Amino acid sequence: MSEQYQSREERRKKLQTKGKPKTKKKSGGLIKKIFLTLVALGIIGILSGVGTFAYLVKDAPVLDPKLLKDPIPSKILDKDDKLITEVGAVNREYVNYNDIPQVVENAILATEDYRFYKHHGIDPIRLGGAVLANFQHGFGSEGASTITQQVVKNSFLTPEKTLKRKVEEAWLSYQLEQQYTKHQIFEMYVNKVYVSENSHGIATAAKIYYGKELKDLTLSEAAQIAGMPQSPNNYNPFDHPGLAEKRRNIVLTLMHQHGFISKQEMENAKKVSVKSTVLNEQQRKVNEKPFDSFVDAVIDEVKETSDFDIFTDGLTIHTTLDPDAQSYVEDILNKSDIVDYPDDEFQAGVALLDTKTGEIRAIGGGRNQKVKRGFNYAIDTQRQPGSTIKPVLDYAPAIEYLNWGTFEMIEDKPITYSSGKKFGNWDQSYKGPMTIRTALQLSRNSPAVQTLQQVGLDKAKDFAVGLGIPLKEIFESYAIGGFKTGVSPLEMAGAYSAFGNNGIYTKPHAIRKIKLRDGTFISTEPEPKVVMKDSTAFMITDMLKSVLVSPGTGTRAKVPGLPIAGKTGTTNYTDEEIQKWGIPSSRSVPDAWFTGYTTNYTASIWTGYKNRSTPINAVGNNQRLAQLIFKNLMEHVSKDIDTPDFTMPNSVQRVSIERGSMPPVLASKYTPGSQVITEYAVKGHAPKRVSQRYDKLNAPKKLNAKYDEVNKNITLTWDYNNLKEANVTFSVTVNSGTGQKQYNQAETSLSIPAVPGTKYSFTIVAISGDRTSNPATAAIDIPLPIQEENPGNTNPGNGANPGNGNGNGNGTGNGNGTGNGNGTGNGNGTGNGNDTGNGDGTGNGTGTDNQDDGVTTPPDTPVDNGTVNGANSGTPTTLP
């Protein structure tokens, strides 16, 4: 109901008390102020943005037509900074825009920039579309950068992902679009892109992969090549036909999606096999480039360690290559005058490093390679390492974590894995207790697995990973090299080099530094890191030196006069593989390795065939060719340089161990030299107990020999302290004129028969187990029996003895004289033996024996009997 007012004045006053229109006027003013403020801020923002943009692009490079025309090759220098080769400067088939077939252009546009002809260098719509395409068709389906941006990036800018670089890219892309036509820009892109195989340009790819001119490519072939620039090496149809085909199918899908081809055309093209349409190995053209295997490593390393493109960025790369060593490696692999290979299909991969720095000196990528940048057996191969892994995964961790010495005893015996699965030694025999040095020298499997079991899987895995062995998992079978995946010779060389470098690991690398186009140097060298104690490194090294000494398994790798440590390795076929592939002999193996090092160089060699199903037969040296390659290579690179031996660090002590002691004990001063071995221990962890096995027992005492004349025997008696506690026996040796006899007994007395007139000597030794005492000795002379005296007869004598005796009366006869006379021999002379008297008398006297037999004859005992023959006829008489 409307209000009623009494008068106009009342109405006027009432209206004055209500809200007035000026309230609305105030609200309108606030909005206006906010709007003006936003406009002002926008202007300020625009000005700031313009200022920031101007600041970011002020140092942007200018559009140099030379850089737009051709990518700049990179130079590769050796370790002495001498030019080896250039990468990216050759093998480019240039194509003009007018010669690019429509199917190729459509494939590129659909993949890289389908709105290329609608934008001015930067395409916000494409950016959003790329994000959506990646969700719909998978990551990598479509890129966000326009073709113009890619030309700018590849021509002027580094690939670093920073705001400044992206702003510069946008600015230069806009400029490029102002100065060049779309067709010119498209032509630049087509000729710049890298298409693997050390080559650039879409036309080059057509020649390399299909042997065709660009105009002759089919839809399927054009789509395959158009998809390569995103990841050239991964989509290389020679090396990865499966990935290349998947990528091609994505391109075909995009071509249909953007209206370039029909659905039927897409489906028909997808049915074509990439592998069947590319050139086979015999048809592929080989571009001769020096040291291709090493250049492989350089290219891979640039990609892994930087964002640079080695083929377009004009880099100067200072590498670690030793050209002499590289040339010799290639000669070893491809000539027959150094190593005799079984056939042309036999393959080998070689990696040679500087032991101290990890710098790659040479790479042998394979034998008789028919394509450049083909499969590199030194870098790309992943084969089971066999027993070469034992130092890395078993014995080094045992020394590192358990403080084992090289003398640690372990029994070579039948065992199983913890799972219960059986395995055995390579020769299906077992040799009983042995040191870990011997176990490694003879490459016994059972001790290796037992060692890993004691170390523990996790610790062993961590240790190996620290040495560059890429283990993602570990099982007990890994102890003897039974990997599910594999390792490369380069990785094995890197691991072993740490043993030769006092436990310091440096990742193997081919590049020392990179010089950019503006003169800036970038170092890509990895940092050295300590991965084990120097005691572990030295003790493993010393054990590995034994491998090259007979009866070690690596004697063919030995170089006389060169201190080398190393390890052999072979792998085996399973029973299922033998049956499946028809392997001819149980002695055939799929892989044979040798990895070793000096203080200067480390080398790892793998040998085998491309396919594991082709065995290395046990004929001649076929399974030992890795050793022969190592020997020849190490001998060559070590020629005319000093190679010092490995030095024992202060953390290690040399110990004398009694051979065969288990647990090990120190040799005692009584241990025979033949039973003493010199080994090494981590300082403070040598055995504390000294062997008593060969300690001398107490010698028998008071040895006495007594002759019993009545019973005609000798009784020996002796004493021995604590006879019952000592648990000894006695060895009694009796020497006499009739020979030697031996008696063994526990009693301390012995009776033996005696022969009168014989000298006896006795030696008694106490024995307890392997321990003996010093000998106790005695001697005794057994007298002849006493004979009755014979009275003398007086016979006439007739002359004097002209010899040394007097034949008359009481003279003294001293010799062998002859007496002729008529005298009477009744004297009491003294005779020395064998006198002969010629006379008729008989002399009876008392003689004294002066023989040097050590026995004193009692008085009145006849000793020597002489015969006297008279000149006149008489009766011969025997004198006492």
Side-chain angles (χ1 to χ4, degrees):
M1 179 177 180
S2 60
E3 296 183 1
Q4 300 293 322
Y5 300 103
Q6 298 297 322
S7 65
R8 292 180 178 176
E9 183 66 16
E10 183 179 358
R11 183 174 180 271
R12 182 181 65 79
K13 290 181 178 180
K14 190 68 175 177
L15 290 174
Q16 288 178 345
T17 61
K18 290 185 177 182
K20 299 179 180 180
K22 64 180 180 179
T23 302
K24 292 183 179 181
K25 185 177 181 180
K26 286 182 180 179
S27 176
L30 178 61
I31 292 173
K32 183 176 181 180
K33 287 180 180 180
I34 292 173
F35 174 77
L36 292 175
T37 299
L38 292 175
V39 170
L41 290 174
I43 294 172
I44 293 172
I46 292 171
L47 293 175
S48 298
V50 170
T52 301
F53 183 87
Y55 174 79
L56 291 175
V57 301
K58 68 182 180 68
D59 296 322
V62 296
L63 291 175
D64 186 346
K66 293 181 180 179
L67 297 180
L68 286 170
K69 193 68 174 177
D70 293 308
I72 300 177
S74 294
K75 297 179 179 179
I76 298 180
L77 312 182
D78 67 14
K79 68 181 182 66
D80 298 318
D81 295 331
K82 295 180 180 178
L83 181 66
I84 302 169
T85 187
E86 292 187 2
V87 176
V90 294
N91 199 29
R92 178 185 291 107
E93 294 283 337
Y94 196 90
V95 60
N96 293 316
Y97 176 79
N98 293 333
D99 296 322
I100 300 173
Q102 192 64 51
V103 66
V104 173
E105 181 174 6
N106 290 344
I108 293 172
L109 291 174
T111 307
E112 299 295 340
D113 190 358
Y114 71 93
R115 284 176 44 82
F116 173 67
Y117 290 104
K118 296 180 181 180
H119 61 67
H120 299 287
I122 305 297
D123 186 6
I125 295 177
R126 167 143 176 95
L127 178 61
V131 174
L132 182 62
N134 282 314
F135 277 104
Q136 291 177 336
H137 303 291
F139 181 77
S141 298
E142 191 172 320
S145 295
T146 65
I147 287 177
T148 309
Q149 286 176 284
Q150 293 184 56
V151 170
V152 166
K153 180 182 67 175
N154 291 334
S155 300
F156 305 105
L157 303 173
T158 64
E160 60 180 345
K161 298 177 182 180
T162 63
L163 176 61
K164 185 177 186 301
R165 202 223 66 168
K166 294 300 292 185
V167 171
E168 289 178 344
E169 180 181 294
W171 170 241
L172 291 173
S173 297
Y174 176 79
Q175 290 188 71
L176 187 65
E177 292 265 355
Q178 303 307 306
Q179 297 183 31
Y180 294 87
T181 67
K182 287 287 187 179
H183 288 173
Q184 288 174 318
I185 295 171
F186 191 85
E187 179 180 316
M188 294 174 193
Y189 172 83
V190 166
N191 288 288
K192 281 181 179 293
V193 291
Y194 178 57
V195 290
S196 192
E197 296 294 323
N198 195 21
S199 301
H200 289 268
I202 297 298
T204 313
K207 285 282 185 71
I208 291 174
Y209 299 115
Y210 297 103
K212 295 182 177 181
E213 297 292 335
L214 198 61
K215 62 183 178 62
D216 297 324
L217 291 179
T218 65
L219 170 60
S220 171
E221 293 164 349
Q224 184 271 310
I225 291 175
M228 288 190 69
Q230 185 186 82
S231 184
N233 292 331
N234 288 329
Y235 298 140
N236 184 320
F238 290 163
D239 300 333
H240 308 290
L243 289 176
E245 188 164 309
K246 289 180 180 179
R247 176 62 178 164
R248 180 208 60 187
N249 291 343
I250 291 175
V251 174
L252 291 170
T253 300
L254 291 171
M255 291 181 73
H256 170 60
Q257 176 184 327
H258 297 303
F260 293 111
I261 58 175
S262 67
K263 183 177 181 181
Q264 187 63 47
E265 288 174 317
M266 175 189 71
E267 291 176 349
N268 290 340
K270 284 184 178 182
K271 294 177 182 178
V272 178
S273 166
V274 167
K275 185 175 182 179
S276 66
T277 54
V278 296
L279 298 177
N280 59 42
E281 289 188 2
Q282 289 71 31
Q283 296 172 315
R284 298 171 192 175
K285 182 180 178 181
V286 177
N287 291 312
E288 293 299 330
K289 299 288 286 183
F291 308 147
D292 190 63
S293 294
F294 185 87
V295 173
D296 275 355
V298 174
I299 293 172
D300 289 345
E301 196 167 318
V302 169
K303 183 178 179 180
E304 291 172 4
T305 61
S306 74
D307 291 327
F308 302 117
D309 186 337
I310 191 174
F311 300 101
T312 62
D313 289 348
L315 310 173
T316 301
I317 304 171
H318 298 256
T319 75
T320 63
L321 177 71
D322 181 343
D324 178 68
Q326 181 68 36
S327 296
Y328 189 76
V329 166
E330 294 179 2
D331 286 346
I332 289 178
L333 295 179
N334 296 300
K335 295 182 179 180
S336 59
D337 58 337
I338 302 175
V339 174
D340 186 17
Y341 297 96
D343 53 62
D344 289 342
E345 301 304 316
F346 190 90
Q347 280 297 342
V350 179
L352 178 70
L353 310 181
D354 183 299
T355 300
K356 298 181 182 66
T357 65
E359 294 181 348
I360 302 173
R361 293 290 180 240
I363 290 289
R367 299 184 62 242
N368 305 317
Q369 292 180 308
K370 296 179 175 61
V371 295
K372 291 297 179 181
R373 293 229 70 203
F375 189 83
N376 192 317
Y377 286 95
I379 300 173
D380 301 328
T381 191
Q382 294 288 300
R383 302 292 281 255
Q384 292 183 344
S387 292
T388 57
I389 204 65
K390 289 175 181 176
V392 174
L393 209 55
D394 308 332
Y395 297 112
I399 295 172
E400 180 78 5
Y401 302 126
L402 305 179
N403 290 305
W404 280 13
T406 61
F407 48 79
E408 187 73 26
M409 293 293 292
I410 199 160
E411 186 175 359
D412 182 21
K413 63 182 179 180
I415 65 167
T416 64
Y417 296 124
S418 297
S419 63
K421 185 177 180 180
K422 295 181 179 180
F423 71 97
N425 287 318
W426 62 270
D427 58 357
Q428 303 304 314
S429 69
Y430 299 91
K431 298 183 180 297
M434 59 180 60
T435 64
I436 58 172
R437 176 191 295 279
T438 300
L440 188 57
Q441 180 188 32
L442 302 181
S443 202
R444 309 305 292 174
N445 287 343
S446 174
V449 174
Q450 293 178 62
T451 299
L452 177 61
Q453 289 173 338
Q454 293 193 50
V455 169
L457 295 179
D458 290 340
K459 285 186 176 180
K461 175 176 174 288
D462 291 344
F463 189 89
V465 170
L467 290 175
I469 303 300
L471 294 183
K472 295 182 179 179
E473 57 185 0
I474 186 172
F475 303 95
E476 288 181 358
S477 59
Y478 282 29
I480 53 178
F483 284 22
K484 286 189 174 181
T485 55
V487 294
S488 70
L490 187 63
E491 290 166 340
M492 289 303 299
Y496 271 58
S497 68
F499 294 134
N501 193 32
N502 300 313
I504 299 171
Y505 171 77
T506 305
K507 183 179 179 180
H509 56 285
I511 300 174
R512 293 178 288 131
K513 57 185 178 181
I514 298 175
K515 182 182 178 182
L516 306 183
R517 294 200 304 266
D518 62 2
T520 303
F521 280 95
I522 295 177
S523 175
T524 61
E525 288 186 295
E527 290 292 327
K529 57 182 180 179
V530 177
V531 294
M532 71 184 89
K533 304 169 189 173
D534 58 359
S535 54
T536 301
F538 174 80
M539 290 163 67
I540 284 293
T541 295
D542 198 74
M543 290 166 63
L544 289 175
K545 288 170 73 174
S546 300
V547 174
L548 283 82
V549 179
S550 183
T553 59
T555 55
R556 287 170 179 78
K558 182 178 181 180
V559 178
L562 207 61
I564 298 175
K567 184 70 186 74
T568 56
T570 55
T571 61
N572 299 319
Y573 290 108
T574 64
D575 292 338
E576 292 78 8
E577 289 173 334
I578 291 173
Q579 184 176 5
K580 176 182 177 182
W581 293 326
I583 304 301
S585 169
S586 60
R587 296 178 60 199
S588 297
V589 301
D591 310 281
W593 292 75
F594 189 85
T595 304
Y597 53 97
T598 67
T599 49
N600 292 328
Y601 294 102
T602 301
S604 182
I605 291 90
W606 166 86
T607 59
Y609 287 89
K610 178 181 179 180
N611 296 318
R612 193 172 183 272
S613 57
T614 304
I616 309 174
N617 295 320
V619 177
N621 283 320
N622 289 356
Q623 295 180 2
R624 301 176 182 87
L625 292 182
Q627 296 184 49
L628 298 180
I629 294 172
F630 177 91
K631 169 186 166 60
N632 283 280
L633 175 58
M634 199 61 70
E635 190 171 33
H636 179 84
V637 297
S638 301
K639 183 176 55 180
D640 301 326
I641 65 170
D642 180 45
T643 303
D645 201 351
F646 303 93
T647 304
M648 185 179 77
N650 292 330
S651 57
V652 174
Q653 64 183 103
R654 188 180 284 107
V655 290
S656 295
I657 302 295
E658 189 165 280
R659 187 186 300 277
S661 54
M662 189 174 183
V665 294
L666 298 173
S668 73
K669 63 180 181 179
Y670 301 109
T671 304
S674 62
Q675 298 302 309
V676 178
I677 55 175
T678 300
E679 295 289 354
Y680 293 95
V682 178
K683 188 166 286 186
H685 294 276
K688 300 294 190 294
R689 193 165 67 87
V690 178
S691 172
Q692 296 180 344
R693 180 181 180 185
Y694 297 101
D695 284 6
K696 292 296 182 184
L697 298 172
N698 293 326
K701 298 179 180 180
K702 298 181 180 180
L703 175 60
N704 181 55
K706 186 176 181 181
Y707 175 58
D708 183 348
E709 188 174 0
V710 175
N711 295 314
K712 297 295 188 292
N713 62 22
I714 302 171
T715 301
L716 290 174
T717 59
W718 61 92
D719 291 342
Y720 196 83
N721 295 336
N722 301 321
L723 178 61
K724 293 182 179 180
E725 297 178 7
N727 191 29
V728 298
T729 58
F730 302 98
S731 175
V732 182
T733 304
V734 179
N735 283 293
S736 66
T738 59
Q740 185 182 87
K741 290 186 178 181
Q742 190 85 22
Y743 301 90
N744 293 303
Q745 61 181 58
E747 295 80 13
T748 56
S749 64
L750 174 67
S751 293
I752 61 173
V755 178
T758 303
K759 177 182 177 180
Y760 290 85
S761 61
F762 307 96
T763 302
I764 302 181
V765 176
I767 300 173
S768 178
D770 293 323
R771 301 166 64 198
T772 61
S773 71
N774 288 324
T777 61
I780 188 172
D781 288 332
I782 307 302
L784 289 169
I786 300 175
Q787 297 185 10
E788 183 180 353
E789 292 186 1
N790 187 16
N793 297 316
T794 302
N795 293 315
N798 200 18
N801 185 352
N804 295 326
N806 187 345
N808 298 311
N810 298 321
T812 301
N814 294 320
N816 299 318
T818 301
N820 297 311
N822 298 314
T824 300
N826 293 320
N828 296 318
T830 301
N832 281 329
N834 300 318
D835 302 16
T836 302
N838 295 318
D840 297 325
T842 299
N844 298 317
T846 300
T848 302
D849 175 29
N850 291 325
Q851 291 176 324
D852 187 16
D853 56 10
V855 179
T856 301
T857 303
D860 301 324
T861 301
V863 176
D864 203 343
N865 300 323
T867 300
V868 181
N869 297 315
N872 300 323
S873 295
T875 302
T877 305
T878 300
L879 299 176

